[in-house]
Amino acid sequence: MPNGPLIVQSDKSLLLEVDHEQATEARRAIAPFAELERAPEHIHTYRLTPLGLWNARAAGLDAETVVNVLINYSRYPVPHSILVDVAETMSRYGRLQLTTHPTYGLVLTTTDKAVLAEVLKSKRTKGLVGERIDDSSVIVHRSERGNLKQALIKLGWPAEDLAGYVDGEKHPIAISPVDKAKDKPWTMRPYQMGAVENFWHGGSGVVVLPCGAGKTIVGAAAMAKSSTTTLILVTNSVSARQWRDELIRRTTLTEDEIGEYSGTRKEIRPVTIATYQVLTTRRKGEYTHLELLDARDWGLIIYDEVHLLPAPIFRMTADMQARRRLGLTATLVREDGREDEVFSLIGPKRFDAPWKDIEAQGYIAPADCQEVRLTLSDADRMTYAIAEPEDKYRLAACAPGKVRVVLDLVKKHEGEPTLVIGQYLDQLDELAKALGAEVITGQTPVKERQRLYEAFRTGEVTKLVVSKVANFSIDLPEASVAIQVSGSFGSRQEEAQRLGRVMRPKQDGRTAHFYTVVTRDTVDQEFAAHRQRFLAEQGYAYSIIDAEDVSA
């Protein structure tokens, strides 16, 4: 790869290099429109993509601001042609707009007639639009609002959706001035209020906040702002019950007003919390629970952990564009590259608070991140060397020496609430046996999971071994140590979620510790480097220690 200020990639992205000395300051300036690609010792490299620039534009950032950031922080002089390309990419957002016309209904309009002509000629838009009104506008079939936005972003012309929303069925909801669980007054944090205002002003979109920063409260406040019936989509039943408890605790809603629609319950109430799993369940090729989407005149739909949306939910959401939609997540990263689907169907990023800023305000715990590198024995190295490519990660991730490292780390933090997190069930069973700890996997019944989580919260147990079922939406505020032994290959969002398990502020203000145990000179180490990219972008540096030094 040649040296240069901004390197154009085949996927239309750009790489920006920043000197390490400017890393902290640059991160704050660059984060709204680019993501960290890699962060070696001396040079930080950021990736700029059209989607990142369009998100920035939707958030109100202009091209001049972005260009000035590139000029100020690039290691090299930035060619004028690159700056022009960045400005022109940003200008693509909003040249097409979806609006509501008093006579024709939903209409696609443009400030650039050639752009409209171009997209209407494409096969992607065929069948999604109706008659031309004039050179600058065309009727859009209301049922195709979402599909058209998907098509337009694929064509490189993302539409700004100004068509508005149905009001939905009214239902009174307000934030309670008293925390009902503690019987004490409470107030929302400034960034939570900012997130709600940005979302509401934008109409629909995504709020990005660290784990433990109160995304549920942002959702509750958006519900209060809307004061309509609300459908909340969550990852699992445990998360559904946590949402219910938090809404009862923080709002005027009562238990009778909140329904759970999951594998075990089918309640439809003014506020209904449904799992992604039940909505995407098919029988004889049919999605049998889709009637839930039309069961009420929903005024707001909330997508918890929006970065996890399964494909069927994307398709369902394409048909629900007249409803306000709020996505909540700790990171918008999707390893399948479908961030543009979130952008077009849920909405642009409306609010994104840097993790380190919220940590500095004392709302999440400071975290110490360490990568513990383990060397394979000669026999295991040979087994790994001759293994088939598809077997290499599991061999490295489940290296026998990791059990000893985990035991040493747990001993080092004896008595502290500790989570051991992994991907492979046989590895987790082995670790649980070695630690004398309980294990929670997808096979653990919901009631048993809740019992173990509650025992962990109260201090009855101080160690839990958990699979990826604990990655999301699990509230374990006193967890202060997380030890990761294996994961979903190079998943950045999983790394962020797992660190998030220990980032809720501790009553005594202590630092959280996050360890990732990695097998040296294997794909395990390569995946670890990729997994850490998002957290490095947020300002978390991993120190590297040798496994032999843990027990020293």
mmCIF file of all heavy atoms in Angstrom, residues 500-528:
data_model
loop_
_atom_site.group_PDB
_atom_site.id
_atom_site.type_symbol
_atom_site.label_atom_id
_atom_site.label_comp_id
_atom_site.label_asym_id
_atom_site.label_seq_id
_atom_site.Cartn_x
_atom_site.Cartn_y
_atom_site.Cartn_z
ATOM 1 N N GLY A 500 -18.870 -4.000 27.945
ATOM 2 C CA GLY A 500 -20.010 -3.321 28.566
ATOM 3 C C GLY A 500 -20.587 -4.049 29.760
ATOM 4 O O GLY A 500 -21.223 -3.435 30.619
ATOM 5 N N ARG A 501 -20.361 -5.360 29.854
ATOM 6 C CA ARG A 501 -20.892 -6.105 31.009
ATOM 7 C C ARG A 501 -20.294 -5.610 32.331
ATOM 8 O O ARG A 501 -20.896 -5.815 33.385
ATOM 9 C CB ARG A 501 -20.587 -7.608 30.877
ATOM 10 C CG ARG A 501 -21.199 -8.343 29.726
ATOM 11 C CD ARG A 501 -22.690 -8.166 29.577
ATOM 12 N NE ARG A 501 -22.997 -7.213 28.540
ATOM 13 C CZ ARG A 501 -24.008 -6.362 28.549
ATOM 14 N NH1 ARG A 501 -24.827 -6.314 29.563
ATOM 15 N NH2 ARG A 501 -24.211 -5.531 27.557
ATOM 16 N N VAL A 502 -19.106 -4.998 32.272
ATOM 17 C CA VAL A 502 -18.449 -4.596 33.529
ATOM 18 C C VAL A 502 -18.341 -3.075 33.663
ATOM 19 O O VAL A 502 -17.668 -2.583 34.563
ATOM 20 C CB VAL A 502 -17.043 -5.230 33.652
ATOM 21 C CG1 VAL A 502 -17.145 -6.739 33.746
ATOM 22 C CG2 VAL A 502 -16.135 -4.827 32.501
ATOM 23 N N MET A 503 -19.009 -2.322 32.784
ATOM 24 C CA MET A 503 -18.796 -0.876 32.773
ATOM 25 C C MET A 503 -19.831 -0.067 33.540
ATOM 26 O O MET A 503 -19.733 1.155 33.607
ATOM 27 C CB MET A 503 -18.715 -0.371 31.327
ATOM 28 C CG MET A 503 -17.464 -0.852 30.623
ATOM 29 S SD MET A 503 -17.138 0.003 29.092
ATOM 30 C CE MET A 503 -16.705 1.623 29.693
ATOM 31 N N ARG A 504 -20.800 -0.732 34.128
ATOM 32 C CA ARG A 504 -21.737 0.039 34.948
ATOM 33 C C ARG A 504 -20.986 0.552 36.176
ATOM 34 O O ARG A 504 -20.162 -0.157 36.742
ATOM 35 C CB ARG A 504 -22.941 -0.822 35.339
ATOM 36 C CG ARG A 504 -23.687 -1.318 34.112
ATOM 37 C CD ARG A 504 -24.955 -2.059 34.432
ATOM 38 N NE ARG A 504 -25.495 -2.692 33.233
ATOM 39 C CZ ARG A 504 -26.283 -2.091 32.352
ATOM 40 N NH1 ARG A 504 -26.610 -0.834 32.545
ATOM 41 N NH2 ARG A 504 -26.730 -2.739 31.289
ATOM 42 N N PRO A 505 -21.252 1.799 36.586
ATOM 43 C CA PRO A 505 -20.465 2.386 37.675
ATOM 44 C C PRO A 505 -20.611 1.604 38.973
ATOM 45 O O PRO A 505 -21.701 1.128 39.304
ATOM 46 C CB PRO A 505 -21.044 3.798 37.805
ATOM 47 C CG PRO A 505 -22.381 3.736 37.155
ATOM 48 C CD PRO A 505 -22.284 2.711 36.080
ATOM 49 N N LYS A 506 -19.497 1.445 39.679
ATOM 50 C CA LYS A 506 -19.488 0.693 40.926
ATOM 51 C C LYS A 506 -19.707 1.650 42.105
ATOM 52 O O LYS A 506 -19.265 2.799 42.079
ATOM 53 C CB LYS A 506 -18.153 -0.035 41.120
ATOM 54 C CG LYS A 506 -17.628 -0.724 39.860
ATOM 55 C CD LYS A 506 -18.620 -1.674 39.221
ATOM 56 C CE LYS A 506 -18.104 -2.196 37.890
ATOM 57 N NZ LYS A 506 -19.159 -2.783 37.072
ATOM 58 N N GLN A 507 -20.355 1.142 43.132
ATOM 59 C CA GLN A 507 -20.660 1.985 44.290
ATOM 60 C C GLN A 507 -19.393 2.540 44.933
ATOM 61 O O GLN A 507 -19.378 3.663 45.439
ATOM 62 C CB GLN A 507 -21.469 1.189 45.313
ATOM 63 C CG GLN A 507 -22.880 0.872 44.825
ATOM 64 C CD GLN A 507 -23.708 0.152 45.871
ATOM 65 O OE1 GLN A 507 -23.225 -0.126 46.974
ATOM 66 N NE2 GLN A 507 -24.958 -0.150 45.534
ATOM 67 N N ASP A 508 -18.306 1.763 44.888
ATOM 68 C CA ASP A 508 -17.062 2.238 45.503
ATOM 69 C C ASP A 508 -16.131 2.899 44.483
ATOM 70 O O ASP A 508 -14.991 3.239 44.811
ATOM 71 C CB ASP A 508 -16.337 1.088 46.208
ATOM 72 C CG ASP A 508 -16.023 -0.080 45.264
ATOM 73 O OD1 ASP A 508 -16.265 0.073 44.050
ATOM 74 O OD2 ASP A 508 -15.546 -1.123 45.749
ATOM 75 N N GLY A 509 -16.606 3.065 43.246
ATOM 76 C CA GLY A 509 -15.821 3.783 42.240
ATOM 77 C C GLY A 509 -14.653 2.998 41.666
ATOM 78 O O GLY A 509 -13.798 3.580 40.983
ATOM 79 N N ARG A 510 -14.598 1.688 41.899
ATOM 80 C CA ARG A 510 -13.435 0.926 41.458
ATOM 81 C C ARG A 510 -13.403 0.751 39.933
ATOM 82 O O ARG A 510 -14.422 0.855 39.271
ATOM 83 C CB ARG A 510 -13.380 -0.439 42.141
ATOM 84 C CG ARG A 510 -14.452 -1.420 41.745
ATOM 85 C CD ARG A 510 -14.371 -2.677 42.612
ATOM 86 N NE ARG A 510 -15.351 -3.678 42.248
ATOM 87 C CZ ARG A 510 -16.611 -3.670 42.645
ATOM 88 N NH1 ARG A 510 -17.046 -2.698 43.423
ATOM 89 N NH2 ARG A 510 -17.444 -4.631 42.285
ATOM 90 N N THR A 511 -12.211 0.464 39.448
ATOM 91 C CA THR A 511 -11.985 0.263 38.016
ATOM 92 C C THR A 511 -12.462 -1.123 37.593
ATOM 93 O O THR A 511 -12.306 -2.098 38.332
ATOM 94 C CB THR A 511 -10.488 0.418 37.695
ATOM 95 O OG1 THR A 511 -10.112 1.776 37.952
ATOM 96 C CG2 THR A 511 -10.182 0.090 36.243
ATOM 97 N N ALA A 512 -13.047 -1.201 36.403
ATOM 98 C CA ALA A 512 -13.417 -2.496 35.827
ATOM 99 C C ALA A 512 -12.209 -3.087 35.111
ATOM 100 O O ALA A 512 -11.356 -2.357 34.604
ATOM 101 C CB ALA A 512 -14.572 -2.313 34.854
ATOM 102 N N HIS A 513 -12.134 -4.399 35.063
ATOM 103 C CA HIS A 513 -11.024 -5.087 34.389
ATOM 104 C C HIS A 513 -11.588 -6.003 33.311
ATOM 105 O O HIS A 513 -12.488 -6.806 33.559
ATOM 106 C CB HIS A 513 -10.210 -5.907 35.394
ATOM 107 C CG HIS A 513 -9.528 -5.067 36.429
ATOM 108 N ND1 HIS A 513 -8.305 -4.482 36.221
ATOM 109 C CD2 HIS A 513 -9.934 -4.699 37.685
ATOM 110 C CE1 HIS A 513 -7.965 -3.787 37.301
ATOM 111 N NE2 HIS A 513 -8.933 -3.911 38.202
ATOM 112 N N PHE A 514 -11.033 -5.862 32.105
ATOM 113 C CA PHE A 514 -11.468 -6.674 30.980
ATOM 114 C C PHE A 514 -10.250 -7.378 30.398
ATOM 115 O O PHE A 514 -9.314 -6.733 29.916
ATOM 116 C CB PHE A 514 -12.128 -5.793 29.912
ATOM 117 C CG PHE A 514 -12.630 -6.555 28.722
ATOM 118 C CD1 PHE A 514 -13.670 -7.464 28.840
ATOM 119 C CD2 PHE A 514 -12.084 -6.354 27.461
ATOM 120 C CE1 PHE A 514 -14.143 -8.171 27.737
ATOM 121 C CE2 PHE A 514 -12.550 -7.050 26.350
ATOM 122 C CZ PHE A 514 -13.584 -7.951 26.500
ATOM 123 N N TYR A 515 -10.276 -8.712 30.464
ATOM 124 C CA TYR A 515 -9.166 -9.511 29.944
ATOM 125 C C TYR A 515 -9.650 -10.296 28.735
ATOM 126 O O TYR A 515 -10.755 -10.855 28.747
ATOM 127 C CB TYR A 515 -8.670 -10.510 30.991
ATOM 128 C CG TYR A 515 -8.092 -9.893 32.239
ATOM 129 C CD1 TYR A 515 -8.883 -9.726 33.378
ATOM 130 C CD2 TYR A 515 -6.761 -9.490 32.289
ATOM 131 C CE1 TYR A 515 -8.357 -9.172 34.541
ATOM 132 C CE2 TYR A 515 -6.227 -8.935 33.448
ATOM 133 C CZ TYR A 515 -7.029 -8.771 34.562
ATOM 134 O OH TYR A 515 -6.506 -8.215 35.702
ATOM 135 N N THR A 516 -8.832 -10.350 27.711
ATOM 136 C CA THR A 516 -9.111 -11.257 26.605
ATOM 137 C C THR A 516 -7.904 -12.176 26.460
ATOM 138 O O THR A 516 -6.770 -11.721 26.307
ATOM 139 C CB THR A 516 -9.431 -10.488 25.304
ATOM 140 O OG1 THR A 516 -9.711 -11.400 24.258
ATOM 141 C CG2 THR A 516 -8.319 -9.549 24.897
ATOM 142 N N VAL A 517 -8.143 -13.470 26.613
ATOM 143 C CA VAL A 517 -7.065 -14.456 26.603
ATOM 144 C C VAL A 517 -6.905 -14.961 25.167
ATOM 145 O O VAL A 517 -7.840 -15.511 24.578
ATOM 146 C CB VAL A 517 -7.361 -15.623 27.565
ATOM 147 C CG1 VAL A 517 -6.161 -16.570 27.620
ATOM 148 C CG2 VAL A 517 -7.693 -15.103 28.961
ATOM 149 N N VAL A 518 -5.716 -14.762 24.603
ATOM 150 C CA VAL A 518 -5.476 -14.967 23.179
ATOM 151 C C VAL A 518 -4.296 -15.911 22.969
ATOM 152 O O VAL A 518 -3.279 -15.819 23.671
ATOM 153 C CB VAL A 518 -5.189 -13.607 22.494
ATOM 154 C CG1 VAL A 518 -4.793 -13.796 21.048
ATOM 155 C CG2 VAL A 518 -6.407 -12.696 22.604
ATOM 156 N N THR A 519 -4.422 -16.807 22.003
ATOM 157 C CA THR A 519 -3.337 -17.726 21.685
ATOM 158 C C THR A 519 -2.408 -17.080 20.660
ATOM 159 O O THR A 519 -2.839 -16.721 19.562
ATOM 160 C CB THR A 519 -3.895 -19.051 21.141
ATOM 161 O OG1 THR A 519 -4.811 -19.586 22.099
ATOM 162 C CG2 THR A 519 -2.782 -20.043 20.913
ATOM 163 N N ARG A 520 -1.160 -16.963 21.027
ATOM 164 C CA ARG A 520 -0.149 -16.257 20.218
ATOM 165 C C ARG A 520 0.099 -16.958 18.873
ATOM 166 O O ARG A 520 0.037 -18.184 18.778
ATOM 167 C CB ARG A 520 1.146 -16.169 21.035
ATOM 168 C CG ARG A 520 2.277 -15.414 20.397
ATOM 169 C CD ARG A 520 3.508 -15.393 21.301
ATOM 170 N NE ARG A 520 3.422 -14.326 22.290
ATOM 171 C CZ ARG A 520 3.324 -14.530 23.601
ATOM 172 N NH1 ARG A 520 3.303 -15.765 24.074
ATOM 173 N NH2 ARG A 520 3.262 -13.510 24.440
ATOM 174 N N ASP A 521 0.390 -16.142 17.848
ATOM 175 C CA ASP A 521 0.775 -16.638 16.516
ATOM 176 C C ASP A 521 -0.281 -17.535 15.868
ATOM 177 O O ASP A 521 0.038 -18.512 15.181
ATOM 178 C CB ASP A 521 2.112 -17.404 16.587
ATOM 179 C CG ASP A 521 3.252 -16.501 17.042
ATOM 180 O OD1 ASP A 521 3.214 -15.290 16.750
ATOM 181 O OD2 ASP A 521 4.177 -17.013 17.703
ATOM 182 N N THR A 522 -1.546 -17.196 16.106
ATOM 183 C CA THR A 522 -2.650 -17.946 15.504
ATOM 184 C C THR A 522 -3.713 -16.959 15.019
ATOM 185 O O THR A 522 -3.622 -15.750 15.264
ATOM 186 C CB THR A 522 -3.313 -18.898 16.524
ATOM 187 O OG1 THR A 522 -3.982 -18.103 17.514
ATOM 188 C CG2 THR A 522 -2.296 -19.814 17.182
ATOM 189 N N VAL A 523 -4.738 -17.483 14.367
ATOM 190 C CA VAL A 523 -5.844 -16.621 13.941
ATOM 191 C C VAL A 523 -6.578 -16.034 15.143
ATOM 192 O O VAL A 523 -7.241 -15.002 15.022
ATOM 193 C CB VAL A 523 -6.847 -17.385 13.047
ATOM 194 C CG1 VAL A 523 -6.221 -17.728 11.718
ATOM 195 C CG2 VAL A 523 -7.374 -18.633 13.738
ATOM 196 N N ASP A 524 -6.453 -16.657 16.288
ATOM 197 C CA ASP A 524 -7.032 -16.103 17.520
ATOM 198 C C ASP A 524 -6.465 -14.707 17.773
ATOM 199 O O ASP A 524 -7.198 -13.762 18.109
ATOM 200 C CB ASP A 524 -6.711 -17.045 18.689
ATOM 201 C CG ASP A 524 -7.515 -16.737 19.949
ATOM 202 O OD1 ASP A 524 -8.542 -16.028 19.842
ATOM 203 O OD2 ASP A 524 -7.125 -17.215 21.034
ATOM 204 N N GLN A 525 -5.171 -14.557 17.592
ATOM 205 C CA GLN A 525 -4.525 -13.253 17.784
ATOM 206 C C GLN A 525 -4.967 -12.263 16.694
ATOM 207 O O GLN A 525 -5.196 -11.090 16.967
ATOM 208 C CB GLN A 525 -3.002 -13.411 17.758
ATOM 209 C CG GLN A 525 -2.241 -12.124 18.067
ATOM 210 C CD GLN A 525 -0.729 -12.361 18.126
ATOM 211 O OE1 GLN A 525 -0.272 -13.463 18.426
ATOM 212 N NE2 GLN A 525 0.035 -11.323 17.840
ATOM 213 N N GLU A 526 -5.100 -12.757 15.460
ATOM 214 C CA GLU A 526 -5.531 -11.882 14.369
ATOM 215 C C GLU A 526 -6.960 -11.385 14.601
ATOM 216 O O GLU A 526 -7.261 -10.198 14.424
ATOM 217 C CB GLU A 526 -5.460 -12.633 13.036
ATOM 218 C CG GLU A 526 -4.046 -12.998 12.610
ATOM 219 C CD GLU A 526 -4.044 -13.920 11.399
ATOM 220 O OE1 GLU A 526 -5.078 -13.964 10.691
ATOM 221 O OE2 GLU A 526 -3.024 -14.593 11.179
ATOM 222 N N PHE A 527 -7.841 -12.292 14.996
ATOM 223 C CA PHE A 527 -9.219 -11.891 15.258
ATOM 224 C C PHE A 527 -9.292 -10.921 16.431
ATOM 225 O O PHE A 527 -10.100 -9.982 16.437
ATOM 226 C CB PHE A 527 -10.097 -13.111 15.541
ATOM 227 C CG PHE A 527 -10.434 -13.921 14.319
ATOM 228 C CD1 PHE A 527 -10.404 -15.299 14.350
ATOM 229 C CD2 PHE A 527 -10.790 -13.295 13.135
ATOM 230 C CE1 PHE A 527 -10.726 -16.053 13.227
ATOM 231 C CE2 PHE A 527 -11.123 -14.034 11.998
ATOM 232 C CZ PHE A 527 -11.088 -15.421 12.041
ATOM 233 N N ALA A 528 -8.449 -11.141 17.451
ATOM 234 C CA ALA A 528 -8.451 -10.252 18.609
ATOM 235 C C ALA A 528 -8.116 -8.826 18.194
ATOM 236 O O ALA A 528 -8.733 -7.861 18.665
ATOM 237 C CB ALA A 528 -7.464 -10.749 19.664
#
